[in-house]
Each structure stands twice: as C-alpha cells, then as structure tokens.
Amino acid sequence: MSRAWERCVPVFDIPILTRPFVALCTLGAVACGLVLYREAAGLGAASGMNDAYAWGIWKTFNIMALTGLGSGGFSIGIATWLFGRRSLHSVMRTAVLSSFLIYASGLMLLGIDVGRPWNFLWILAPWRWNVHSPMLEVGFCMPLYTAVPLFLEATPPVLEWIHSRWPELESTAEMAESLLKRIYPWVLGLAFLLPAMHQSSLGALMLLAGNQVHPLWQTPWLPLLYVWAASFMGFAFVSVVLMVCHLVWNRSLDEDVLREMSRITAWLIATWLIFRFADLAMRGRLHLAVQISAPSALFWMEILLLLSAALMLAVASKRHNVRLAFQGSILAALGGLMYRFDPTTLAFQPRAGAFYFPTFIELLIDIGFLSLTVATFSLLAKVLPILPASTRLWRAMESARWNKSVLHPQQAEYTHYAAAD
Amino acid sequence: MEITRRHLLGSMAKGAATVFAAGGVSSVALADESRAKEKQEASQTAIAMLYDATLCVGCQSCVSACAQANNLTPDKRLDTLHQSPRDLSDTTKNVVKLYKPADGTPYSYIKQQCMHCVDPACAAACLFKALKKETGTGIVTWNPGLCVGCRYCQIVCSYHIPKFQWRGVNPRIVKCEFCKERLARGDDPACTSVCPTHAVVFGKRTSLLAEAKLRIAKSPGKYYEERVFGEREGGGTQVLYLTKASFEKLGLPKLGNEPIPAKYLKWQKRMYSYLLIPAALYAVIVSITRKSWNRHEEHLKEEEKATGLRPQL
C-alpha cells in the first residue's frame, strides 16, 4: 500500500472540539485577560524586565528564538523551489501554516511588549526611518513578510476549501486562484528574500550591544549564523510537527520525504557547526570555550545538542529510522532555540548584579499565546487540506462525506480509513 | 519543460554574478561616502561637560538641581529626608556615587549622566530617530512623538544611561538631555551651574578638552593614566572625565576607540545601501522561481490527468 504523500488532506475523521483543544483555548483566554492587565498596569507590574535586562522573553524567546522554528516556509521553500527538491512540495503547506502562526503570535507579543505602540504608525512614513537600524529592518520586514508573502502562500488551501464548500462562491474562488497563480513566482521571491533579511537582522540586533554579549557569541558573523540557524530550525521543526500530527491523528508517514528532510537538516547543522568553530578560531576566542565557566557550559550545551542532532539525523536518514529522525529533529530545534536565545539573555551581561527572570504573568501570557498557536493549527489542519497524505485517503474522505450526506445523515462517527493504509 | 541540473546551476551562476556585480558597484560607489560616515567626528560647535573627580566633594547639589530643572520626583528611597538616589533611574537623570576601595586607597566620587557620545549607539539603534544627535550642539535628545518604547537603546548603551518608565500607560525614556530648555534660554545646564567647587564645568568641547589636558600637564602623576576619559573612548564623548582612581573602577567601561555603530554595523550598512544587493538577490530568486513554477504547473496537469482530482497549488 502506498504511503507516499501525494496530496494534502484535512484531518476529517477527528472532531474539532476535543478536550486538549478546549484546554488550549482556555489558556489563550487567560492570556488575553492578562494582556489587559499589562496594558493598564504597565510593563513593570506585569513583567520581570528592568533597566538592565530591558528585553524579556516576549522578545528574546518568541521573536529572537522561536521565529527560527517558524522558518520552515523559508528554508523548506528554498529547497523546494530554488533547489528543485520536488518531494518536499508535499510538506510546504504544513511549513507555511506553522511559520505563519509562529510569526503572527510573535508579532502580537511584540505589540504587547513595546511601551508606546501608537508611534509604530511611523513605519508608514519613510522619511522618519533610521535606515541603518537593524531594529527598523526587523520592524518593517517581519510584519511585511507575515502579511504579504506568507499570507498569500497560505491562501490556496482556504480557496480550495471555499471552492468545495460553497458552490455559489466557486467562480470567485477560481478567479482568486488564477490571480494567485499569476503572481506566485514573485510572491515566492519575497517569501525567500524577506526572511533572509530579517532573520539575519535579528542577529545584527545584538551586534550593537557590543561587548555586553559574551565573546563566545558576539561576532561580526552573528547575522549569518542567525539566518543559517533559522534554516535548519525550520526543517527540524516541520519534521517534528509532521511526525507529531501524524502520530496523534493516526496517519501514515512518508519515510522518503522525512529522510530527505533529515539529510538536509544534518548537512545544514554540520556546516553551521564548522562555521561557528572556524569563526571562534579566527577571532582567537576558542580558549574561552575550554575554560570552566557558566558561558562555556552554555556554549557546550548548544554544541552538544546540535552535534548529536546532526549525527542522529545523518544516521536516521541512512538507516530509515523514523524514531531517530524524530529525536534528532527535536534536539536540532532545541539547540537552535538555545543558540538564538543565549546572546540576548543568558550570555548577555549588561553589568554585575543585573538579574532577569520572567514573572508568572509574563510566562502565562507567553504560554497562552503559544497555546492559541497550537489550537489554531489543529483547527485549521482539521478543516483545510494542510497535512500531506495519500490520494487514497483523499478518496476515503470524499466517500465518507458522501455517505454522511446521502446515506446516513445522522451518522456522526466516521470509519477510520487511515489505519487501512 | 524540464529543467536540468545544469540549466538550474547556470541560471544560479548568472544570478550570483549579478549580485556580486551589484555589490561591487555599490561598495565602490559608497566607499567614499561610507568612509566619511563610518567615523563621526565631534563638531567644532559641540558643547561638553568636564567633570574632575579630584575636585568633587560629593555634596549632591548637582543631583537635586538636575531633578528640579527637569521636574523629576526626588528619589528619597534611601533617606526619607534627603534626595539620595542610588543610581540613575526613571526619576534620576544625574547621580553622584562614592567609590571607596577596600584597600584603603583614597576614595573618589563619580558623576553619571548621559555621555552624549560623538557617535551614539542609541541613536544608531533607534527605529524612527526618536533618539537623535542634534547638529551643532551634539546633544542626544529624545522625542516622545517618535519613540515606540522598544527599549533597544537600553540594550545597546555601553554606559547604561537610558532608563524606561516601567509604570503607567504612557512610558517615557528618561535620560540627561543637557538641559536643552535651559540652554535655549541662555542658561548653563543645572548641574554645572550649581557646583560649588567647579568640579563639573560647562563649555565648548574643544576648549574643555584643552583645559583638561592643561590640568594634566600642570600636575604630572595626579590623574589616572595621564589622560582624559571621553576624548577617544568609543569614538569620543561630550562628557569628559579626569579622575585619580582607575576609570574601570569608577564604572567607566573599557571600550576601545572605535565607535560601536561604525565597528559593528559596517557590513549591515553596506549590505543594505540603497537596497541594491537585496534587489539583485530578488531578481535572481524570481528568475529561478518562475522556471520552477512553470515546471510545477506542468506537473499539476499531469497529476490531474492521472488522478482525475482537482490539482492542489
């Protein structure tokens, strides 16, 4: 029986309202309430931020680190469209949707984090721009990427859904689709250019902090290392998302596609590691890594996570081992997160005695927004054709719908077809 | 249409050549401009403060004068009777601290406020130029109408000067702005006008630098390293220090002589100058995506023929 991912199929055989879904939405609602408190009481009352550690986890984790995991649309897209890896086309919808949701939630947290958000309207006034500020590049490029190329890349499943559900909107959906087809190559161009710009600018943000960032991290190559890390983090995260979804919703995995992803991730990490050590050696900072100190321990944790991830993924792709690929991808995602988070907080030393730890409210808001991200993903994966599957499953879905509507209008439960695959 | 690997590599090579050409042109065209811009020099009209720690008696007159001139709530957290801020904060733009070494060597006071760097990292970092170096005087000012409250200035300032109001719905960045309103009225800054021992004085940067060097020459061995802090540190500052104790012990960081924006943003500036490189890169990417899109459409048609299902984009 074919297990190949040929077509994206909604998770049609699982109800939307499950207990975990309700729990995630509740956490999201709590977070929204706490956001009102933060807006009324000020940042100091809601968060652990202070004048020395002026950035908290909303920026340092959700923007600086987590958007790396949200770079699947960027890095898998490049492999698919620029390097002709056709087999990866099947996972693009998962990549694009996860990227869109992570970026959107990060940008919302950024809106909560800034103190004078009304002045952000100056982004529409180019004569006000400080064109050389990496912060301007991020502030302009990240919302633009989310709102235009990433949004447009994510619309085809919605148009298909409208097309299949509302016969009266059929011609409108088709018109939108043909328009989208015409501009798609240009949209894709932006979808690769803009993340390359802002993901590297995230690294450039920390350049201006100068020697407050520990020399094991502070390097003129920080922008390149950041965007490179984003590329393997995107691959690793989309692998994890696919494997978790297919495990939870009981669908079959296309091992060839996963192997291809593992192989590329392993190569990206290996070259990144070599580059990082070469940079340290060239700057003459390798001796800092062999000292016994907190920063060097942190450094080796990152290196060990990524090194073991690269090895596990390489072996997994050679030996067709899905379990190992899953573990390796998780380690790669964690290692990437750590690398991108450390220069902003743990390896950022503004001055002696400075301390930051997120407050309970800050954490709850963060967890709430992440919960909403997961809930939205699961909702959309059940409604829209996002997750890849076989053509056979698509036909099973169509006949189940037909049965339900024509033969058994009262039948609520579907037969599980995926298991027969 | 089938795209062979050679075809793809060929078009990528062409694209790469375009990018390098564009990069080359832009870096040649901008070489002069960027060389001039990368190193900021203090202007002849730049104003300054000279603080001589050997003259300071720690009376804190300047601290309360500053709070009064800037309408700041007196910080009485340490002492309910007197204004005695421990550090710079959202209610303190100027502070005098005591450095008392454990080894019994002579103690020293140190005054802290914005250094008004010649090439300030905060202004280089600021999104909409809310923090801006004024031409002429060289004061680094803050504009509430442009500040987004992102606090990037706090991350990048090596002297930890900008402070944020963590309370309230309209938080501001608080830092010394050289009493710009008083200067506009023709008065001296509050701190320099009240100092009883003239430990801190106000004037043109060029003349105060000459004055500081004169003091060093007059008393050999008196001042730390026989030099003025702020002449060249981080590209130079408009607050100059003469001290007996070491600069680092007094909280004046070791920065090197190159300004941080010039040192770290050099490549960032080149990459984005006139958006030439991003535009060239975009042209290359689109030339490839257009080809692979055509191939994709062919593939979709084949798939539709094989399965009879509506193709997915």
Side-chain angles (χ1 to χ4, degrees):
Chain A
M1 196 57 66
S2 161
R3 286 167 163 264
W5 284 339
E6 299 149 333
R7 204 175 167 79
C8 295
V9 184
V11 184
F12 62 92
D13 43 5
I14 313 256
I16 289 170
L17 269 180
T18 57
R19 233 174 280 168
F21 183 79
V22 174
L24 291 171
C25 290
T26 315
L27 282 171
V30 170
C32 291
L34 289 171
V35 167
L36 294 180
Y37 171 73
R38 172 263 170 272
E39 294 298 343
L43 267 180
S47 79
M49 295 177 223
N50 51 63
D51 283 324
Y53 282 100
W55 286 358
I57 49 168
W58 299 335
K59 271 206 194 92
T60 58
F61 180 70
N62 290 71
I63 294 288
M64 299 291 273
L66 210 61
T67 58
L69 293 190
S71 296
F74 163 63
S75 60
I76 302 178
I78 286 180
T80 311
W81 292 101
L82 296 189
F83 290 91
R85 301 270 182 252
R86 262 216 67 84
S87 66
L88 296 181
H89 199 276
S90 57
V91 304
M92 270 311 283
R93 288 187 171 185
T94 315
V96 165
L97 183 63
S98 61
S99 296
F100 181 79
L101 293 175
I102 287 180
Y103 268 79
S105 69
L107 288 173
M108 280 192 268
L109 281 171
L110 197 58
I112 297 163
D113 176 276
V114 297
R116 311 169 65 81
W118 53 90
N119 278 333
F120 191 69
L121 283 176
W122 290 117
I123 201 76
L124 302 173
W127 65 92
R128 291 288 187 207
W129 294 354
N130 177 9
V131 288
H132 293 312
S133 163
M135 188 54 116
L136 180 90
E137 210 287 309
V138 171
F140 180 72
C141 201
M142 214 178 230
L144 182 72
Y145 169 61
T146 315
V148 183
L150 201 48
F151 178 79
L152 287 175
E153 267 192 294
T155 44
V158 183
L159 292 177
E160 274 168 35
W161 178 65
I162 293 172
H163 191 275
S164 66
R165 278 302 167 95
W166 286 285
E168 65 273 22
L169 289 175
E170 206 177 285
S171 61
T172 318
E174 266 169 21
M175 215 164 68
E177 237 171 40
S178 68
L179 190 71
L180 191 61
K181 273 184 184 171
R182 216 167 298 159
I183 58 169
Y184 214 73
W186 279 273
V187 172
L188 283 174
L190 279 184
F192 305 148
L193 178 72
L194 297 182
M197 284 162 66
H198 65 240
Q199 287 293 334
S200 60
S201 291
L202 287 179
L205 281 181
M206 296 322 290
L207 288 180
L208 271 183
N211 53 19
Q212 297 179 75
V213 176
H214 192 274
L216 280 174
W217 285 266
Q218 185 62 285
T219 154
W221 292 103
L222 211 53
L224 184 66
L225 284 164
Y226 258 61
V227 68
W228 204 330
S231 72
F232 68 70
M233 288 164 76
F235 265 99
F237 182 65
V238 173
S239 302
V240 172
V241 168
L242 284 166
M243 286 190 254
V244 168
C245 287
H246 286 240
L247 194 73
V248 171
W249 291 323
N250 199 14
R251 299 170 65 146
S252 53
L253 290 168
D254 186 331
E255 285 177 25
D256 290 340
V257 175
L258 289 176
R259 267 177 58 207
E260 176 83 347
M261 290 173 76
S262 302
R263 205 175 58 81
I264 298 174
T265 317
W267 273 110
L268 285 171
I269 298 176
T271 43
W272 185 92
L273 282 170
I274 292 168
F275 189 86
R276 183 146 188 223
F277 275 100
D279 169 56
L280 280 173
M282 301 278 275
R283 287 187 296 116
R285 298 300 165 96
L286 264 179
H287 66 278
L288 292 173
V290 291
Q291 286 171 357
I292 295 179
S293 65
S296 80
L298 209 56
F299 172 80
W300 285 110
M301 261 161 81
E302 286 172 10
I303 299 297
L304 283 179
L305 275 173
L306 289 173
L307 194 64
S308 46
L311 289 174
M312 284 160 83
L313 288 168
V315 172
S317 73
K318 277 262 182 323
R319 300 215 181 131
H320 301 227
N321 188 335
V322 178
R323 182 184 293 266
L324 202 59
F326 182 61
Q327 293 160 345
S329 297
I330 288 182
L331 293 189
L334 285 178
L337 281 179
M338 257 191 91
Y339 171 71
R340 302 241 321 202
F341 177 73
D342 285 345
T344 67
T345 309
L346 296 172
F348 178 70
Q349 305 148 318
R351 54 169 148 178
F355 179 78
Y356 163 77
F357 195 81
T359 59
F360 195 51
I361 296 175
E362 212 175 347
L363 284 168
L364 274 182
I365 289 180
D366 206 303
I367 292 168
F369 273 70
L370 291 180
S371 305
L372 280 184
T373 310
V374 177
T376 314
F377 185 88
S378 87
L379 170 73
L380 292 178
K382 284 170 184 172
V383 175
L384 303 175
I386 301 289
L387 292 173
S390 60
T391 312
R392 202 185 121 82
L393 191 67
W394 177 273
R395 295 195 196 282
M397 174 188 73
E398 286 194 326
S399 63
R401 286 214 173 122
W402 191 79
N403 280 341
K404 192 196 171 198
S405 59
V406 180
L407 298 178
H408 314 288
Q410 268 77 47
Q411 187 181 344
E413 293 284 311
Y414 297 119
T415 324
H416 209 300
Y417 288 86
D421 247 14
Chain B
M1 192 189 80
E2 187 63 27
I3 296 183
T4 59
R5 180 173 288 241
R6 182 196 293 188
H7 200 117
L8 185 69
L9 287 175
S11 65
M12 280 172 65
K14 261 184 266 167
T18 322
V19 173
F20 280 120
V25 169
S26 65
S27 54
V28 169
L30 294 169
D32 292 331
E33 189 211 14
S34 56
R35 216 172 293 148
K37 263 193 182 163
E38 266 162 23
K39 184 108 185 161
Q40 300 278 347
E41 298 286 344
S43 73
Q44 286 300 307
T45 53
I47 57 170
M49 261 182 231
L50 169 63
Y51 173 78
D52 189 333
T54 62
L55 298 175
C56 180
V57 293
C59 69
Q60 311 255 8
S61 305
C62 59
V63 177
S64 48
C66 172
Q68 202 174 12
N70 291 289
N71 288 323
L72 299 166
T73 326
D75 183 348
K76 293 194 265 187
R77 276 175 291 190
L78 281 185
D79 176 346
T80 49
L81 201 56
H82 304 95
Q83 178 167 7
S84 50
R86 188 192 286 272
D87 206 342
L88 296 176
S89 72
D90 61 346
T91 58
T92 305
K93 295 182 177 184
N94 172 41
V95 71
V96 170
K97 293 180 181 172
L98 172 65
Y99 165 65
K100 206 172 182 182
D103 58 5
T105 47
Y107 62 81
S108 172
Y109 290 104
I110 184 77
K111 180 178 182 295
Q112 288 180 344
Q113 70 297 302
C114 178
M115 305 291 282
H116 299 278
C117 301
V118 171
D119 190 358
C122 59
C126 190
L127 216 58
F128 301 130
K129 296 178 257 188
L131 283 165
K132 187 176 160 228
K133 191 156 182 73
E134 299 289 334
T135 44
T137 56
I139 304 174
V140 179
T141 55
W142 179 75
N143 183 343
L146 297 175
C147 173
V148 176
C150 72
R151 313 182 296 286
Y152 188 30
C153 52
Q154 297 194 285
I155 299 284
V156 303
C157 178
S158 303
Y159 303 99
H160 310 293
I161 299 302
K163 301 295 170 192
F164 183 72
Q165 288 177 335
W166 295 95
R167 280 158 294 187
V169 292
N170 184 17
R172 300 166 69 94
I173 290 288
V174 179
K175 74 166 204 63
C176 160
E177 294 178 74
F178 233 124
C179 285
K180 55 180 180 183
E181 286 88 4
R182 284 177 62 97
L183 291 181
R185 287 202 303 266
D187 293 335
D188 279 6
C191 59
T192 62
S193 60
V194 296
C195 185
T197 59
H198 301 291
V200 61
V201 288
F202 170 71
K204 288 262 178 296
R205 187 173 185 268
T206 42
S207 46
L208 287 184
L209 198 56
E211 161 71 19
K213 285 180 175 168
L214 196 66
R215 288 189 202 176
I216 293 173
K218 269 187 187 161
S219 337
K222 182 178 177 189
Y223 293 108
Y224 179 67
E225 288 185 351
E226 309 262 287
R227 67 186 179 97
V228 192
F229 186 98
E231 186 185 5
R232 277 188 285 268
E233 275 71 16
T237 59
Q238 286 177 230
V239 177
L240 306 169
Y241 284 89
L242 283 175
T243 70
K244 194 172 173 60
S246 97
F247 296 140
E248 290 80 49
K249 293 250 167 73
L250 293 175
L252 295 167
K254 221 181 172 78
L255 287 181
N257 291 341
E258 214 177 340
I260 284 177
K263 188 173 171 188
Y264 288 100
L265 286 189
K266 192 160 54 188
W267 285 102
Q268 189 80 359
K269 282 184 180 178
R270 287 179 186 169
M271 291 290 285
Y272 287 99
S273 60
Y274 301 113
L275 288 178
L276 278 176
I277 294 176
L281 203 58
Y282 184 63
V284 177
I285 295 173
V286 169
S287 77
I288 303 173
T289 52
R290 284 180 71 185
K291 280 174 192 153
S292 52
W293 175 257
N294 289 339
R295 195 167 45 137
H296 180 64
E297 285 204 304
E298 300 281 325
H299 189 89
L300 286 183
K301 273 179 205 153
E302 280 168 31
E303 218 175 65
E304 191 177 5
K305 228 179 267 174
T307 60
L309 294 171
R310 203 166 173 270
Q312 292 182 323
L313 276 190

Coordinates of all heavy atoms in Angstrom, one line a residue, chain B residues 83-115:
Chain B
Q83 N 17.2 63.9 49.2 CA 17.3 63.3 47.9 C 18.6 62.5 47.7 O 19.6 63.1 47.7 CB 17.1 64.3 46.8 CG 17.2 63.7 45.4 CD 16.8 64.8 44.4 OE1 16.6 65.9 44.7 NE2 16.7 64.3 43.2
S84 N 18.5 61.2 47.7 CA 19.8 60.4 47.6 C 19.6 59.2 46.7 O 19.5 58.1 47.2 CB 20.2 60.0 49.0 OG 19.1 59.4 49.7
P85 N 19.5 59.4 45.4 CA 19.3 58.3 44.5 C 20.6 57.4 44.6 O 21.7 57.8 44.7 CB 19.1 58.9 43.2 CG 19.8 60.2 43.3 CD 19.6 60.7 44.7
R86 N 20.3 56.1 44.5 CA 21.4 55.1 44.5 C 22.0 55.0 43.1 O 23.2 54.7 42.9 CB 20.8 53.7 44.9 CG 21.9 52.7 45.1 CD 21.2 51.3 45.2 NE 20.5 51.1 46.5 CZ 21.1 50.7 47.6 NH1 22.4 50.3 47.5 NH2 20.5 50.5 48.7
D87 N 21.1 55.2 42.1 CA 21.6 55.0 40.7 C 20.7 55.8 39.8 O 19.7 56.4 40.2 CB 21.5 53.5 40.3 CG 22.5 53.2 39.2 OD1 23.0 54.1 38.6 OD2 22.8 52.0 39.1
L88 N 21.1 55.9 38.5 CA 20.2 56.5 37.5 C 18.9 55.7 37.5 O 18.9 54.5 37.6 CB 20.9 56.5 36.2 CG 22.1 57.4 36.0 CD1 22.7 57.2 34.6 CD2 21.8 58.8 36.3
S89 N 17.8 56.4 37.3 CA 16.5 55.7 37.2 C 15.5 56.5 36.4 O 15.9 57.6 35.9 CB 15.9 55.4 38.6 OG 15.5 56.6 39.1
D90 N 14.3 56.1 36.4 CA 13.3 56.9 35.6 C 12.9 58.2 36.3 O 12.2 59.0 35.8 CB 12.0 56.1 35.3 CG 11.3 55.6 36.6 OD1 11.9 55.7 37.7 OD2 10.2 55.2 36.5
T91 N 13.5 58.4 37.5 CA 13.3 59.7 38.2 C 14.6 60.4 38.4 O 14.7 61.5 39.1 CB 12.6 59.6 39.5 OG1 13.3 58.7 40.4 CG2 11.2 59.0 39.4
T92 N 15.7 59.9 37.9 CA 17.0 60.5 38.2 C 17.9 60.5 36.9 O 18.2 59.4 36.3 CB 17.8 59.7 39.2 OG1 17.0 59.6 40.4 CG2 19.1 60.3 39.6
K93 N 18.2 61.7 36.4 CA 19.0 61.8 35.2 C 20.5 62.0 35.5 O 21.3 62.0 34.6 CB 18.5 62.9 34.3 CG 17.1 62.7 33.8 CD 16.7 63.9 32.9 CE 15.3 63.7 32.3 NZ 15.0 64.8 31.4
N94 N 20.8 62.3 36.7 CA 22.1 62.7 37.1 C 22.4 62.1 38.5 O 21.6 62.3 39.4 CB 22.3 64.2 37.0 CG 23.6 64.6 37.6 OD1 24.7 64.0 37.3 ND2 23.6 65.7 38.4
V95 N 23.5 61.4 38.7 CA 23.8 60.9 40.0 C 25.2 61.0 40.4 O 26.1 61.0 39.5 CB 23.3 59.4 40.1 CG1 24.2 58.5 39.2 CG2 23.2 58.9 41.5
V96 N 25.5 61.2 41.7 CA 26.9 61.2 42.1 C 27.1 60.0 43.0 O 26.3 59.8 44.0 CB 27.3 62.5 42.8 CG1 28.6 62.4 43.5 CG2 27.3 63.6 41.9
K97 N 28.1 59.1 42.7 CA 28.3 57.9 43.5 C 29.7 58.0 44.2 O 30.6 58.7 43.7 CB 28.3 56.7 42.6 CG 26.9 56.4 42.0 CD 27.1 55.2 41.1 CE 25.8 54.8 40.5 NZ 26.0 53.7 39.5
L98 N 29.8 57.3 45.3 CA 31.1 57.2 46.0 C 31.8 55.9 45.8 O 31.1 54.9 45.9 CB 30.8 57.4 47.5 CG 32.0 57.2 48.4 CD1 33.1 58.2 48.2 CD2 31.6 57.2 49.9
Y99 N 33.0 56.0 45.3 CA 33.8 54.7 45.2 C 34.8 54.7 46.4 O 35.7 55.6 46.5 CB 34.5 54.7 43.9 CG 35.6 53.7 43.8 CD1 35.3 52.3 43.8 CD2 37.0 54.1 43.7 CE1 36.3 51.4 43.8 CE2 38.0 53.1 43.6 CZ 37.7 51.8 43.7 OH 38.7 50.9 43.6
K100 N 34.7 53.7 47.2 CA 35.5 53.6 48.4 C 36.2 52.3 48.4 O 35.6 51.3 48.7 CB 34.6 53.7 49.7 CG 35.3 54.3 50.9 CD 34.3 54.5 52.0 CE 35.0 55.1 53.2 NZ 34.0 55.3 54.3
P101 N 37.5 52.3 48.0 CA 38.2 51.0 47.8 C 38.4 50.3 49.2 O 38.6 51.0 50.2 CB 39.5 51.4 47.2 CG 39.5 52.8 46.9 CD 38.4 53.4 47.7
A102 N 38.4 49.0 49.2 CA 38.6 48.2 50.4 C 40.0 48.3 50.9 O 40.3 48.2 52.1 CB 38.1 46.8 50.2
D103 N 41.0 48.6 50.0 CA 42.4 48.5 50.4 C 42.9 49.8 51.0 O 44.1 50.0 51.2 CB 43.2 48.1 49.2 CG 43.1 49.1 48.0 OD1 42.3 50.1 48.2 OD2 43.6 48.9 46.9
G104 N 42.0 50.8 51.3 CA 42.4 52.0 51.9 C 42.9 53.1 51.1 O 43.3 54.2 51.5
T105 N 43.1 52.8 49.7 CA 43.5 53.9 48.8 C 42.4 55.0 48.8 O 41.2 54.7 49.1 CB 43.8 53.3 47.4 OG1 42.7 52.5 47.1 CG2 45.0 52.6 47.3
P106 N 42.8 56.2 48.4 CA 41.8 57.3 48.5 C 40.5 57.0 47.8 O 40.5 56.4 46.7 CB 42.6 58.5 47.9 CG 44.0 58.1 48.0 CD 44.1 56.6 47.9
Y107 N 39.4 57.5 48.4 CA 38.1 57.3 47.7 C 37.9 58.4 46.7 O 38.7 59.3 46.5 CB 37.0 57.4 48.8 CG 36.9 58.7 49.5 CD1 36.2 59.8 48.9 CD2 37.4 58.8 50.8 CE1 36.1 61.0 49.6 CE2 37.3 60.0 51.4 CZ 36.7 61.1 50.8 OH 36.6 62.3 51.5
S108 N 36.9 58.2 45.9 CA 36.6 59.1 44.8 C 35.1 59.2 44.5 O 34.4 58.2 44.7 CB 37.3 58.7 43.5 OG 36.9 59.5 42.5
Y109 N 34.6 60.3 44.2 CA 33.2 60.4 43.7 C 33.2 60.3 42.2 O 34.2 60.5 41.5 CB 32.6 61.8 44.1 CG 32.4 61.9 45.6 CD1 33.2 62.7 46.4 CD2 31.3 61.2 46.2 CE1 33.0 62.7 47.8 CE2 31.1 61.3 47.5 CZ 32.0 62.1 48.3 OH 31.7 62.2 49.7
I110 N 32.1 59.9 41.7 CA 31.9 59.9 40.2 C 30.5 60.3 39.9 O 29.6 59.9 40.5 CB 32.3 58.4 39.7 CG1 32.2 58.4 38.2 CG2 31.3 57.4 40.3 CD1 33.4 59.0 37.5
K111 N 30.4 61.2 38.9 CA 29.1 61.7 38.5 C 28.7 61.0 37.2 O 29.6 60.7 36.3 CB 29.3 63.2 38.1 CG 28.0 63.9 37.7 CD 28.4 65.4 37.4 CE 27.2 66.2 37.0 NZ 26.6 65.9 35.7
Q112 N 27.5 60.6 37.2 CA 27.0 59.8 36.0 C 25.8 60.5 35.4 O 24.9 60.9 36.1 CB 26.6 58.4 36.3 CG 27.8 57.5 36.6 CD 27.5 56.1 37.0 OE1 26.3 55.8 37.3 NE2 28.4 55.2 37.0
Q113 N 25.8 60.6 34.1 CA 24.6 61.1 33.3 C 24.9 60.7 31.9 O 25.9 60.0 31.6 CB 24.5 62.6 33.4 CG 25.6 63.5 32.7 CD 27.0 63.2 33.3 OE1 27.2 63.4 34.5 NE2 27.9 62.7 32.5
C114 N 24.1 61.1 30.9 CA 24.3 60.7 29.6 C 25.6 61.3 29.1 O 26.0 62.4 29.4 CB 23.2 61.2 28.6 SG 23.5 60.8 26.9
M115 N 26.4 60.5 28.4 CA 27.7 60.9 27.9 C 27.7 61.7 26.6 O 28.7 62.2 26.2 CB 28.6 59.6 27.7 CG 28.7 58.7 28.8 SD 29.7 59.4 30.2 CE 31.3 59.2 29.6

